[in-house]
């Protein structure tokens, strides 16, 4: 009788673990949650060129809400008509986030498009429909912009020799216990509280190279043509697809992320920082490092529009053209 009772208890305990353990084993870890939210944010990522945003605004800008990341002085000097200046503290962003409508497309503008891309991925991770203005004010009206990012060419070393990317094991991670928005806010706050700058100038990156891993987000074909000397290939597709390789980078090194003109590298650096690395974007990308490394010049940088700007501390408005 006692033996039967013990046997029944054993079966009950075994049944319990058979039900619970599979669920626990398949529960999403914090690292997997980070990759998934990033993939969801980037797989449908869209952006505006100066021309496409100008066309949308002159048609009335229905469904758009433009924000500017310019500082107060630059904003007063000239900003995109209708853009509301926004100061975002990534360590305490709730106040700024409450001003953003959920039912409109948030168009993120800034001095040169680089900080705009960082902000855009953050907003998209939180569920906003956000899109960056490529090149920012430098693309909207070069004369009104105070950024010279895209006029620089440091002529630093480039090569077509491959540098292998050394990957380690995926570290152990537990479930975060948070919903996606709370999780992204927590990860971004942890990064922001470190007080590090988001990007490096060419000179700063050059000085850091010996102690850092440099990764290039170029396509494999463009990487094969030319890239920063010593940079390993980690294509933008790895970020868009939420590749597990993002979890396998060395954690004992700083990471410098480079792309073509500094847009995607700001997205990449933001994601890596949220994953717990110490990552920086390279200002101006390969275009600012050495244009000779580019397989082809950026078409974005070939145009020099001079669209209207609003001045002063109020958003102003865009002259509209109503089509019949």
């Amino acid at each position: 009788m006692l033996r039967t009772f013990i046997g029944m208890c054993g079966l009950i305990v075994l049944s319990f673990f058979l039900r619970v353990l599979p669920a626990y084993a398949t529960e999403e870890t914090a690292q997997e949650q980070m990759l998934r939210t990033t993939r969801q944010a980037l797989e449908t990522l869209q952006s505006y060129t100066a021309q496409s945003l100008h066309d949308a605004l002159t048609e009335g800008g229905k469904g758009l809400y433009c924000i500017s990341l310019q500082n107060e002085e630059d904003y007063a000097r000239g900003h995109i008509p209708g853009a509301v200046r926004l100061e975002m503290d990534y360590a305490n962003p709730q106040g700024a986030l409450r001003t953003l409508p959920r039912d409109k497309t948030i168009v993120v503008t800034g001095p040169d498009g680089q900080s705009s891309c960082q902000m855009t991925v953050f907003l998209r991770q939180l569920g906003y429909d956000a899109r960056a203005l490529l090149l920012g004010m430098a693309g909207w009206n070069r004369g009104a912009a105070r950024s010279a990012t895209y006029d620089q060419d440091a002529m630093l070393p480039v090569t077509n020799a491959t540098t292998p990317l050394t990957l380690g094991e995926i570290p152990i991670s537990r479930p975060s216990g948070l919903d996606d928005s709370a999780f992204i806010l927590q990860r971004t706050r942890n990064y922001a509280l470190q007080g590090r700058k988001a990007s490096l100038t060419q000179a700063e990156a050059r000085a850091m190279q010996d102690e850092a891993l440099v990764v290039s987000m170029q396509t494999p074909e463009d990487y094969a043509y030319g890239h920063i000397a010593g940079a390993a290939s980690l294509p933008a597709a790895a970020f868009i697809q939420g590749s597990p390789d993002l979890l396998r980078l060395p954690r004992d090194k700083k990471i410098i992320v480079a792309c073509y003109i500094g847009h995607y590298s700001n997205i990449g650096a933001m994601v890596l920082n949220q994953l717990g690395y110490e990552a920086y974007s390279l200002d101006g990308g390969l275009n600012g490092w050495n244009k000779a490394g580019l397989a082809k010049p950026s078409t974005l940088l070939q145009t020099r529009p001079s669209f209207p700007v609003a001045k002063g501390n109020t958003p102003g408005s865009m002259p509209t053209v109503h089509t019949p």
Side-chain angles (χ1 to χ4, degrees), residues 230-280:
S233 177
L234 186 63
F239 293 84
I240 296 170
Q241 296 164 4
S243 170
D245 284 351
L246 300 182
L247 305 175
R248 302 174 61 200
L249 301 175
R251 293 187 176 269
D252 59 346
K253 286 189 174 184
K254 300 172 183 178
I255 301 176
I256 301 171
V257 187
C259 64
Y260 298 94
I261 59 175
H263 283 41
Y264 254 105
S265 58
N266 265 277
I267 293 174
M270 180 64 152
V271 171
L272 293 180
N273 280 310
Q274 290 170 326
L275 283 168
Y277 297 99
E278 181 179 345
Y280 302 88

Side-chain angles (χ1 to χ4, degrees), residues 114 135 142 148-156 158 202 216 218 226-228 258-263 265 282-302 304:
Q114 300 194 80
L135 305 184
R142 189 74 62 93
T149 299
Y150 305 112
D151 298 324
Q152 300 172 7
D153 186 346
M155 301 185 71
L156 291 167
V158 292
Q202 290 84 12
S216 171
Q218 297 166 268
H227 53 269
I228 295 169
C259 64
Y260 298 94
I261 59 175
H263 283 41
S265 58
L282 175 64
D283 279 344
L286 184 56
N287 181 78
W289 184 269
N290 191 330
K291 292 179 173 62
L294 293 168
K296 51 186 179 296
S298 169
T299 55
L300 278 174
L301 299 178
Q302 306 309 304
R304 290 182 174 264

Side-chain angles (χ1 to χ4, degrees), residues 47-61:
S47 54
Y48 279 101
T49 63
Q51 185 65 62
S52 63
L53 180 59
H54 176 267
D55 293 346
L57 293 178
T58 54
E59 290 290 337

Side-chain angles (χ1 to χ4, degrees), residues 135-146:
L135 305 184
M137 281 297 295
W140 181 267
N141 187 315
R142 189 74 62 93
R146 300 188 68 174

Side-chain angles (χ1 to χ4, degrees), residues 47-271:
S47 54
Y48 279 101
T49 63
Q51 185 65 62
S52 63
L53 180 59
H54 176 267
D55 293 346
L57 293 178
T58 54
E59 290 290 337
K62 185 177 180 180
L64 302 183
Y65 184 83
C66 296
I67 60 174
S68 171
L69 305 184
Q70 294 168 277
N71 62 39
E72 192 171 1
E73 180 184 354
D74 288 352
Y75 181 83
R77 185 172 182 265
H79 57 269
I80 292 168
V84 177
R85 196 173 83 85
L86 183 77
E87 291 187 8
M88 178 72 78
D89 176 3
Y90 286 113
N92 295 286
Q94 286 83 355
L97 292 172
R98 281 194 290 269
T99 69
L100 301 178
R102 287 277 186 179
D103 59 346
K104 291 188 176 184
T105 296
I106 311 297
V107 183
V108 187
T109 75
D112 53 23
Q114 300 194 80
S115 59
S116 305
C117 287
Q118 182 192 48
M119 173 73 75
T120 296
V121 68
F122 174 62
L123 293 178
R124 291 186 65 83
Q125 287 171 328
L126 293 175
Y128 290 89
D129 177 14
R131 306 180 187 187
L133 171 63
L134 301 178
L135 305 184
M137 281 297 295
W140 181 267
N141 187 315
R142 189 74 62 93
R146 300 188 68 174
S147 171
T149 299
Y150 305 112
D151 298 324
Q152 300 172 7
D153 186 346
M155 301 185 71
L156 291 167
V158 292
T159 184
N160 60 7
T162 298
T163 295
L165 179 61
T166 302
L167 299 174
E169 297 295 323
I170 295 177
I172 296 172
S173 174
R174 296 183 176 87
S176 72
L178 300 171
D179 63 47
D180 288 347
S181 291
F183 177 66
I184 290 298
L185 289 171
Q186 180 194 70
R187 285 298 181 104
T188 307
R189 175 181 169 80
N190 291 345
Y191 154 54
L193 286 175
Q194 296 175 38
R196 292 188 276 105
K197 61 191 303 184
S199 59
L200 303 174
T201 65
Q202 290 84 12
E204 289 169 334
R206 181 70 165 154
M208 191 187 286
Q209 261 191 294
D210 289 343
E211 57 178 316
L213 166 68
V214 183
V215 295
S216 171
M217 294 179 70
Q218 297 166 268
T219 65
E221 296 78 16
D222 288 346
Y223 176 86
Y225 178 88
H227 53 269
I228 295 169
S233 177
L234 186 63
F239 293 84
I240 296 170
Q241 296 164 4
S243 170
D245 284 351
L246 300 182
L247 305 175
R248 302 174 61 200
L249 301 175
R251 293 187 176 269
D252 59 346
K253 286 189 174 184
K254 300 172 183 178
I255 301 176
I256 301 171
V257 187
C259 64
Y260 298 94
I261 59 175
H263 283 41
Y264 254 105
S265 58
N266 265 277
I267 293 174
M270 180 64 152
V271 171

